[in-house]
Amino acid sequence: EGMEIGTIDSKGEIFGEIGAILSTTRCACAGTEEPSTLFKIPVERLRTLSPDMLYAVMRYFFKVTARRLVETDNRLTAL
C-alpha cells in the first residue's frame, strides 16, 4: 500500500497523463472510495488521433500536469 499524494474529486478529471506524455507506464495507482465510472484511453489510441485532436488532448494533459505541479509546489512551500 502506498502513500496518498492527491485526490481527484471533480467530474472530468484525468489520471495517468504523465505516462501518456512520456510514453511510459504510469507512475502511480488510483483507488476509489465510492462507485465511480472510469474511462481508459490506451496510449496506442492517442497515436491514432488526428494531429489537431492529438494537439488538443496533449495541451489539456500539459495544463493539468502544470496545475498539479504548481499546487504541489505551493503545498511544499507552506511546510
Side-chain angles (χ1 to χ4, degrees), residues 7-73:
T7 302
I8 296 174
D9 55 8
S10 301
K11 289 182 179 181
E13 280 285 349
I14 62 171
F15 176 82
E17 73 282 357
I18 292 175
I21 291 168
L22 299 177
S23 295
T24 62
T25 57
R26 67 178 186 264
C27 56
C29 296
T32 65
E33 295 179 352
E34 58 188 58
S36 302
T37 301
L38 307 174
F39 296 97
K40 179 180 178 180
I41 304 173
V43 172
E44 298 79 30
R45 175 67 177 108
L46 293 175
R47 292 185 185 125
T48 67
L49 297 176
S50 71
D52 288 341
M53 182 61 74
L54 182 58
Y55 174 81
V57 169
M58 294 305 275
R59 181 179 163 101
Y60 181 69
F61 285 0
F62 292 142
K63 283 179 67 174
V64 168
T65 303
R67 178 178 46 82
R68 289 180 182 160
L69 181 60
V70 168
E71 288 169 359
T72 300
D73 185 60

